[in-house]
Amino acid sequence: MTFAAATAIGPAGDGVWTGGIAPGWDIMGNANGGYLMAIAARAAAAATGRPDPVSVTAHFLAPGRPGPVMAQASVVKEGRRFSTATAGIEAQGRTLLSMLGTFAEATTDSTVERVDAAPPDLPPPEDCPLLVATETFPPPFVDRVEVRLHPAVGAPGVGSGGPKVEGWFRFRDGEPVDTLGLLVAVDAFPPTVFFADLPIGWVPTIEMTTHVRARPVEGWLACRFTTRFITGGFFEEDGEVWDATGRMVAQSRQLALLTR
Amino acid sequence: MTFAAATAIGPAGDGVWTGGIAPGWDIMGNANGGYLMAIAARAAAAATGRPDPVSVTAHFLAPGRPGPVMAQASVVKEGRRFSTATAGIEAQGRTLLSMLGTFAEATTDSTVERVDAAPPDLPPPEDCPLLVATETFPPPFVDRVEVRLHPAVGAPGVGSGGPKVEGWFRFRDGEPVDTLGLLVAVDAFPPTVFFADLPIGWVPTIEMTTHVRARPVEGWLACRFTTRFITGGFFEEDGEVWDATGRMVAQSRQLALLTR
């Protein structure tokens, strides 16, 4: 099932849409967070009439299992260029996530005033190992997305170069990644802290914010994830996604809990 | 008027609180964004019964002028350790900001598992120039907060070391900065892009997210703000706040528009 089909929603009236968590978009039974955000963002985009997220924040309240969901969205403000909406996803009476986001038409303005960064220096995709199941880290919906890690990253769970992950992303079936697909790209890689030489269990995300800076062109996306502060039981994970033209198209940050 | 008094709210029943934008917390008549976030966060904290923001996101919808406001907050989920709420601020029938946040008791867990960063290397506060009015940048509520810039930062509007701002923060009257005060600290400095040698006008914030990582101890806060991507009419500004014990207590990111 394509990403577009797996995040499709149908109007159910009065700011409500029906949809579903498709099988295969989960990690050990729990829907990928970025994928859930894409469903909520689709509802918010429908509510605002503006197709592209500019900045979306989700707080994750309960794990999502494959099956039907209800998305709701409500416009808070409609402006000339931007519209802001709240959105949520519910399943079996439980709220899975709550979202607040601003939407627009993705800018075609590719002016670069100043960039103090460069895309990750990755070997060609064919020379980057495909992320597959290991004993310590099952594949994040590997039949849906193709994540190829920089060879220097090593295997998840095997501490190596510190909490930094770089690699390529695309959908498995070659479907182009649109601005909603970027919400998945920033949450598709193994957590940085799995490479930090720490005894770590699960890492539930409290909150994730993604800024979409431009509509990506077709092709592989080069991604980088870093963590600088693992303190007090929390860590942040910062992400960047660069498209095939070398533009940074999405920036993300999530706050997650460290469990043993 | 202290920060606590300037952000005080009174219950008006049914998830609604009355408050006000106090004179002096504005920049050229518009309330400081972090200050507005603190009022909304106070309502959300009251609604959840949990005093400290863990992660709060605001989308800024209209400028706030001194005068009465209405804050509303609604709990989305109450968990064992965290509660999530939406909140908003309205004035004269207009929504000024919309917020989504997760609240808790600020952790006393000061475990440092790994930190790949250091506090800014600042001269003592008395050797850092106090931020005061210039022709190009009026003081951000300088009678309320004491912002002292690293001498190398230079004057706002005078491009120098690039889009990076470092300095000290405290409230003018010596009131300790609590976890809500941190929401002001991360938005109290002149925008990084004012130091980027670009022709820039006003820089309206679309969205701001702050993670509170620990309750700060009393004393000066060392702050750092950086921007890496000024593209397509947008830029992000990343902030860090370190307390007097050398702990990173808050991390922020905002997405703002570049206007000429």
Side-chain angles (χ1 to χ4, degrees):
Chain A
M1 190 187 288
T2 62
F3 168 72
T7 56
I9 53 173
D14 204 22
V16 175
W17 288 261
T18 53
I21 295 175
W25 290 88
D26 58 278
I27 300 166
M28 298 193 296
N30 295 330
N32 171 262
Y35 165 70
L36 275 188
M37 284 181 75
I39 298 174
R42 210 179 273 293
T48 59
R50 295 190 140 135
D52 301 302
V54 174
S55 172
V56 288
T57 292
H59 288 241
F60 294 92
L61 309 178
R65 311 256 165 201
V69 299
M70 197 183 76
Q72 53 78 20
S74 170
V75 178
V76 180
K77 187 199 173 187
E78 190 175 329
R80 266 173 309 200
R81 180 174 167 199
F82 301 107
S83 290
T84 300
T86 58
I89 300 217
E90 286 182 28
Q92 297 170 321
R94 275 216 303 188
T95 303
L96 307 184
L97 75 76
S98 194
M99 176 179 277
L100 177 61
T102 289
F103 292 75
E105 285 257 9
T107 179
T108 53
D109 177 358
S110 54
T111 318
V112 172
E113 298 280 8
R114 177 176 178 136
V115 171
D116 292 330
D121 185 17
L122 299 171
E126 59 272 23
D127 296 335
C128 291
L130 183 66
L131 186 65
V132 292
T134 67
E135 278 185 23
T136 52
F137 190 73
F141 47 99
V142 291
D143 287 342
R144 305 294 173 236
V145 299
E146 185 170 349
V147 169
R148 292 186 169 271
L149 297 181
H150 190 298
V153 170
V158 183
S160 49
K164 178 174 168 181
V165 172
E166 293 182 345
W168 298 104
F169 174 92
R170 67 176 178 186
F171 288 127
R172 276 275 193 173
D173 54 11
E175 183 185 5
V177 178
D178 60 9
T179 57
L180 292 176
L182 289 174
L183 305 183
V184 177
V186 292
D187 199 34
F189 285 69
T192 52
V193 293
F194 283 13
F195 302 88
D197 274 325
L198 294 170
I200 286 173
W202 197 233
V203 286
T205 300
I206 296 174
E207 173 267 332
M208 181 156 195
T209 296
T210 302
H211 300 169
V212 172
R213 298 288 282 266
R215 186 186 304 280
V217 298
E218 270 196 63
W220 283 101
L221 296 169
C223 305
R224 173 190 288 130
F225 301 91
T226 53
T227 292
R228 294 188 305 138
F229 299 97
I230 311 177
T231 62
F234 295 91
F235 68 95
E236 92 289 358
E237 180 171 313
D238 286 352
E240 294 163 17
V241 180
W242 302 70
D243 79 0
T245 66
R247 286 185 310 166
M248 196 279 287
V249 292
Q251 202 172 18
S252 66
R253 173 172 287 169
Q254 57 178 294
L255 180 67
L257 282 175
L258 206 68
T259 67
R260 299 280 177 185
Chain B
M1 191 187 288
T2 62
F3 168 72
T7 56
I9 53 174
D14 204 22
V16 176
W17 288 262
T18 53
I21 296 175
W25 291 88
D26 58 278
I27 300 166
M28 298 193 297
N30 295 331
N32 171 261
Y35 165 71
L36 273 188
M37 283 180 76
I39 298 174
R42 209 180 274 292
T48 60
R50 296 192 140 134
D52 302 303
V54 174
S55 173
V56 287
T57 292
H59 288 241
F60 294 92
L61 308 178
R65 312 255 166 202
V69 299
M70 197 183 76
Q72 53 78 20
S74 170
V75 178
V76 180
K77 188 199 172 188
E78 189 174 330
R80 266 174 308 199
R81 181 174 167 199
F82 301 107
S83 290
T84 300
T86 57
I89 300 217
E90 285 182 29
Q92 298 169 319
R94 273 217 304 190
T95 303
L96 307 184
L97 75 76
S98 194
M99 176 179 278
L100 176 61
T102 290
F103 291 75
E105 285 256 9
T107 179
T108 54
D109 177 359
S110 55
T111 318
V112 172
E113 298 279 8
R114 177 175 179 137
V115 171
D116 293 330
D121 185 16
L122 299 170
E126 59 273 21
D127 296 336
C128 291
L130 183 66
L131 186 65
V132 292
T134 68
E135 278 185 22
T136 52
F137 190 74
F141 48 98
V142 291
D143 287 342
R144 304 294 172 236
V145 299
E146 186 170 348
V147 168
R148 292 186 169 271
L149 296 181
H150 190 298
V153 170
V158 183
S160 49
K164 178 175 168 180
V165 172
E166 293 182 343
W168 298 105
F169 175 91
R170 66 176 180 188
F171 287 127
R172 275 274 193 174
D173 54 11
E175 183 185 5
V177 178
D178 60 9
T179 57
L180 292 176
L182 289 174
L183 304 183
V184 177
V186 292
D187 199 34
F189 285 70
T192 51
V193 293
F194 284 12
F195 303 88
D197 274 326
L198 294 170
I200 286 172
W202 197 233
V203 285
T205 299
I206 295 174
E207 174 267 333
M208 180 157 195
T209 296
T210 301
H211 300 168
V212 172
R213 297 288 282 266
R215 187 186 302 281
V217 298
E218 270 197 63
W220 283 100
L221 296 169
C223 306
R224 173 190 289 129
F225 301 91
T226 53
T227 292
R228 294 188 306 139
F229 299 97
I230 311 176
T231 62
F234 295 92
F235 67 97
E236 92 289 359
E237 179 171 315
D238 286 351
E240 295 162 16
V241 180
W242 302 70
D243 79 359
T245 66
R247 286 185 311 168
M248 194 280 286
V249 292
Q251 203 172 17
S252 66
R253 173 172 287 168
Q254 57 178 294
L255 180 68
L257 282 175
L258 206 69
T259 68
R260 300 281 176 183

